Amino acid sequence: MEAKKQKVMSGIRVTGDLHIGHYWGALKNWLSLQDQYECFFGVMDWHGQTTIYKRASEISALSREMFAEMVAWGVDPKKSTMFIQSKVPEHLELFMIFANLTPLGWLERVPTWKDAEEEAKQSDTHNLGRFAYPVLQAADIAIYQGALVPVGQDQIAHLELTREIIRRFNHLYKAKLPEPRPLLTEVPALPGLDGRKMSKSYGNSILLTEKDEKSLRKKVNMMVTDPQRVRREDPGEPEVCSVYAYHKLYSSADDLDWVVKGCRSAGIGCGDCKGRLAENMEKLCQGPRTIKAQLLSNTDELDKSIEENCERARQIAKKTLETIRYNMKWL
Ligand code: TRP
Ligand code: SF4
């Protein structure tokens, strides 16, 4: 008999800001995990609401769009169980069980909370939901009994807290939920157009599927370059240039060579360099953009596929919850 595949769980929170960093940091990895593991990939709308609750009316359209986008980029709803978090209410039941056994001190110590607190106060999101973000994340993972969680270095603290919560749960109720381990993924540093961290609030991001080639080109043309290269005749240094950081992800070895030599000798201009980059980015993005448009042009069919997937997720989540209540002798 084939050995049972380990369970992988991951998700992206819905904020309406799905940019190319999400591809390189999450989606691309998921694709390579789909065959090897039993995968659960979520559209995390409740996590989105912790910061965009005032835009609640947009959430369901954004979630549907994110689902379509995931499929367009190759997440396969036949191989993996995909779901929209709020359509599987079991996440929230488990969240509440976990919330009670999570001391506030554990949450206060989470670095992402400490870093975000000032910003949270200013943006009217210094709220209980956002504070409890890692508890909901623990529930997301445990409800499918996820054993492996692909994350970047920045999420390690959250996952450590997940492990602590699950350990405490197992200890209190003599249960056997797996303590998930991180599948540490290399997240390449992708600067935003202005060189700062890519974020919608800075207005410096490139969307996962820009609406057309023209808007992609426009964005690439806005990118900051080596500041030493002021005039066309000035030689530049690719290693300090964001455009080159992108080339490393999107371009062939020949193109990289062309950039390095051309930049250092002032043989090419930044315009040429950006033009080539935009071309290579467009090659990768074209297919998914078309599929996404097709999926969104027939929302009835898309919604049906979402419903089916969420139902599949729900069956599994329900079973876990039954076991959990049994462990708690809360029947
Ligand atoms: N925190 C993740 C993000 O920022 C989303 C997320 C929610 C998640 N629950 C999760 C990731 C569980 C992995 C496992 O996109
Ligand atoms: Fe950057 Fe390319 Fe211009 Fe060199 S030629 S500074 S790598 S954009």
Side-chain angles (χ1 to χ4, degrees), residues 225-226 229 238 241 243-244 259 263 268-270 273:
T225 58
D226 175 359
R229 210 178 167 195
C241 179
V243 178
Y244 186 58
V259 174
C263 179
I268 60 169
C270 292
C273 185

Side-chain angles (χ1 to χ4, degrees), residues 32-245:
S32 61
L33 297 170
Q34 290 189 106
D35 292 310
Q36 222 178 326
Y37 299 103
E38 181 182 353
C39 294
F40 296 84
F41 295 129
V43 171
M44 303 311 206
D45 54 345
W46 267 319
H47 275 115
Q49 297 240 24
T50 63
T51 53
I52 62 164
Y53 62 95
K54 288 182 184 165
R55 291 160 52 202
S57 63
E58 295 168 41
I59 290 266
S60 54
L62 289 174
S63 302
R64 179 204 271 144
E65 189 181 335
M66 186 186 276
F67 190 98
E69 191 109 50
M70 287 177 178
V71 174
W73 283 88
V75 184
D76 184 344
K78 292 207 173 65
K79 283 186 194 162
S80 302
T81 303
M82 296 171 68
F83 61 89
I84 294 177
Q85 190 185 31
S86 68
K87 293 188 184 278
V88 188
E90 286 75 13
H91 285 244
L92 274 196
E93 287 193 46
L94 185 52
F95 163 78
M96 196 63 210
I97 293 170
F98 282 174
N100 293 327
L101 53 87
T102 307
L104 292 184
W106 289 6
L107 292 170
E108 280 159 358
R109 278 198 302 273
V110 174
T112 39
W113 172 255
K114 282 196 284 195
D115 295 347
E117 240 191 310
E118 261 325 297
E119 179 270 314
K121 281 180 188 155
Q122 274 155 32
S123 60
D124 208 1
T125 55
H126 196 252
N127 51 35
L128 181 59
R130 186 166 179 185
F131 185 57
Y133 188 110
V135 183
L136 180 55
Q137 186 157 326
D140 296 334
I141 300 167
I143 200 75
Y144 303 109
Q145 306 190 42
L148 295 168
V149 184
V151 285
Q153 190 64 43
D154 60 324
Q155 288 276 320
I156 289 289
H158 278 173
L159 200 67
E160 197 39 58
L161 184 56
T162 295
R163 290 166 58 84
E164 273 178 281
I165 293 170
I166 292 179
R167 206 175 302 143
R168 179 130 205 255
F169 175 87
N170 283 341
H171 179 76
L172 279 173
Y173 304 114
K174 299 189 180 41
K176 287 198 175 62
L177 287 175
E179 273 179 43
R181 286 180 295 120
L183 257 182
L184 200 56
T185 56
E186 197 66 53
V187 181
L190 261 188
L193 301 176
D194 55 1
R196 290 189 292 171
K197 183 174 178 271
M198 198 179 290
S199 153
K200 191 179 191 184
S201 50
Y202 294 156
N204 66 356
S205 51
I206 300 183
L207 301 182
L208 194 49
T209 25
E210 284 289 333
K211 83 175 182 313
D212 52 29
E213 184 171 3
K214 202 167 140 232
S215 74
L216 178 61
R217 278 190 186 278
K218 206 169 129 198
K219 293 264 178 95
V220 172
N221 278 329
M222 281 160 59
M223 286 170 76
V224 292
T225 58
D226 175 359
Q228 303 290 326
R229 210 178 167 195
V230 186
R231 283 161 311 187
R232 171 70 177 78
E233 315 79 82
D234 299 333
E237 177 43 57
E239 290 298 346
V240 302
C241 179
S242 308
V243 178
Y244 186 58

